[in-house]
Amino acid sequence: MTLMTPARTSSATDRPQLGLRERKKIKTRTAIRDATYALIKEQGYDATTIEQIAERAEVSPSTVFRYFPTKEDIVLTDEYDEILLHELRARPADEPWMDSVRYIMRKAVDFGTTEEPDVSRLRAQLLVQVPAVRSRMLESMSATGKLLAEAVAARTGHAQDSLEVRVYAMSLIGGLSEITLYWAENDFRDDPLELADRALDVLEHGLTGKESRGQGPRA
C-alpha cells in the first residue's frame, strides 16, 4: 500500500502473533526500506542503486533481491496488508459494509500521514514523478485486490472469484490509489482524511453533478 498504510495502532492482542523468524524478516525488510528512503532523499531515485541500498542496510545485494524483486517494490511494499484485512474481518458482522470500509481506511490514512508523514510524502512523490514506480504500483494492485476480494466475499456472501466481487475490490484499490496521486499532485495541500471520505463517497453513491455536491441527489 502507499498512503493507505494499515494502522499499527491496534493492540498486540488484535494482531496476528509473529514468530521469531517472521520478526527477523520484518526487521530486515524494514532496514532495507529505511536505507532506500534515506538514499533517495539524499541523491534521488535514479541515482540510488541496489548496491548502495545493501551497503546502507548492512546486507548483501542478493538479500535485497530476495526480499524485493525490484527497486520499485522496496518503495511500494509494506508489512500491513494482512493486518488491514485482519482488522476489516474483525469489524462487527452487522455493521454496514461501507461503514466498515470507511472505518478501516480512515485509520489507515490517519496512521500513514501522522505517524510516518515524511515516508508517506516521499512515496507519493515517487508515484507521481517516477514512471517505473507508478507502473509497478499498477501491477501490484492486482495482488492487493485479491486479498481484499477475500474479505469482501466473506462479508457479502458473494463468491470470491465472481465478477462483482473482483470489480468492487479493484474499484476500492484503484480509487484509494488515486487519493495518493491526487494528494501529491496538489502539493499535499488537502487533508488526506477528507480525500479518503470523498473517494469513498463516490464509490458508495456514484458521481453526482458538481452543482449538487454536498446537497444530496436531486429529486
Side-chain angles (χ1 to χ4, degrees):
M1 310 278 289
T2 49
L3 174 62
M4 301 303 138
T5 303
R8 279 186 249 184
T9 52
S10 58
S11 68
T13 57
D14 292 333
R15 300 196 300 263
Q17 298 301 303
L18 302 177
L20 178 61
R21 176 178 295 183
E22 188 58 30
R23 292 199 302 272
K24 287 183 176 179
K25 288 181 179 179
I26 291 175
K27 183 177 180 180
T28 300
R29 285 195 291 264
T30 300
I32 293 170
R33 279 197 300 269
D34 289 347
T36 303
Y37 296 144
L39 287 165
I40 290 173
K41 288 179 181 178
E42 293 170 11
Q43 60 189 29
Y45 182 84
D46 291 334
T48 297
T49 67
I50 295 296
E51 290 73 21
Q52 290 172 333
I53 293 169
E55 181 178 3
R56 180 73 65 93
E58 299 183 342
V59 298
S60 67
S62 62
T63 297
V64 176
F65 283 121
R66 187 163 68 249
Y67 283 94
F68 301 100
T70 69
K71 186 169 68 173
E72 291 76 32
D73 287 318
I74 303 175
V75 174
L76 294 172
T77 306
D78 58 43
E79 306 299 335
Y80 306 108
D81 280 5
E82 288 290 349
I83 296 175
L84 173 65
L85 293 173
H86 175 78
E87 293 199 8
L88 183 57
R89 295 187 189 104
R91 297 302 299 164
D94 59 350
E95 182 175 61
W97 169 249
M98 283 305 299
D99 288 352
S100 298
V101 171
R102 196 177 295 272
Y103 172 83
I104 295 299
M105 292 309 175
R106 283 183 62 87
K107 283 187 67 176
V109 173
D110 185 57
F111 171 80
T113 55
T114 59
E115 298 295 324
E116 297 183 327
D118 292 341
V119 170
S120 293
R121 284 175 170 77
L122 176 60
R123 296 171 90 182
Q125 287 173 334
L126 293 174
L127 283 169
V128 171
Q129 297 170 359
V130 182
V133 174
R134 189 162 58 253
S135 177
R136 188 63 174 169
M137 179 192 71
L138 294 174
E139 293 177 22
S140 67
M141 283 168 56
S142 61
T144 303
K146 288 178 181 179
L147 291 174
L148 181 59
E150 181 182 342
V152 172
R155 280 290 297 274
T156 63
H158 290 281
Q160 181 178 341
D161 62 350
S162 68
L163 176 63
E164 290 78 9
V165 168
R166 291 171 61 176
V167 169
Y168 187 82
M170 290 308 297
S171 295
L172 276 173
I173 297 298
L176 293 170
S177 297
E178 285 299 318
I179 294 173
T180 304
L181 295 173
Y182 184 92
W183 188 50
E185 289 168 355
N186 289 276
D187 300 320
F188 307 107
R189 291 191 301 267
D190 298 283
D191 179 353
L193 286 173
E194 181 181 338
L195 294 180
D197 279 336
R198 287 172 58 186
L200 289 167
D201 283 345
V202 172
L203 292 172
E204 184 175 7
H205 304 296
L207 191 65
T208 60
K210 183 177 179 181
E211 68 278 3
S212 61
R213 181 181 299 169
Q215 301 175 11
R218 291 181 174 179

